[in-house]
Amino acid sequence: DVKVTQSSRYLVKRTGEKVFLECVQDMDHENMFWYRQDPGLGLRLIYFSYDVKMKEKGDIPEGYSVSREKKERFSLILESASTNQTSMYLCASSLLGGSSGELFFGEGSRLTVL
Amino acid sequence: SQQGEEDPQALSIQEGENATMNCSYKTSINNLQWYRQNSGRGLVHLILIRSNEREKHSGRLRVTLDTSKKSSSLLITASRAADTASYFCATGKLRGGSEKLVFGKGTKLTVNP
């Protein structure tokens, strides 16, 4: 069964802390994505990667960075967490790119920044 | 910015009834996808419909696409309490020279037993 695993389901961090959100997929997919989901705003794309060491900005990259050193792993980094980054973070992967690709999502990481 | 917008925002029905959710989008698409999300969980892919298709079925799900009206609908027949979830449409949007999936804000469906 295909799987996207996010390292933490719930995190509580303090303002200014560096936060790592890890995502691993076991489907050998080229494409990986980070979204954040907020009430009333839906899902918004933060960053995506279509190959190892490659990354592209999504719609809301400010305050975030990403790392893809291995094909199966895509990390989202909050260099200095702020309260407005309290959100649900969803990782996804796909075999095909663009709108042709079915996205497989992890269970989400709910981050609270105090 | 959103490409697809679902309507209604919330829908409450009784078990056994049909549920219809609509999605409108602004620019031409290659494909349109529907996803489901149970509360507090990740999204699960339901159906992909291509721009040259008008209708697609999967079990109790029926998706239609009208490219002239730039709209799609998701019909769930004979709904069950377990269908309670949020449903999202997603379409492609050019970003940085390549197409990426952009999601609407979703329709929250409640099926009452």
Side-chain angles (χ1 to χ4, degrees), chain A residues 19-37:
Chain A
V19 182
F20 292 87
L21 299 179
E22 306 283 346
C23 176
V24 177
Q25 50 99 359
D26 65 359
M27 294 165 282
D28 203 34
H29 284 170
E30 303 288 340
N31 305 286
M32 295 189 76
F33 309 82
W34 276 106
Y35 290 87
R36 67 176 279 178
Q37 183 177 27

Side-chain angles (χ1 to χ4, degrees), chain B residues 77-98:
Chain B
T77 59
S79 63
R80 305 166 182 167
D83 294 327
T84 293
S86 291
Y87 292 83
F88 296 85
C89 69
T91 55
K93 179 183 175 184
L94 278 179
R95 175 78 192 183
S98 57

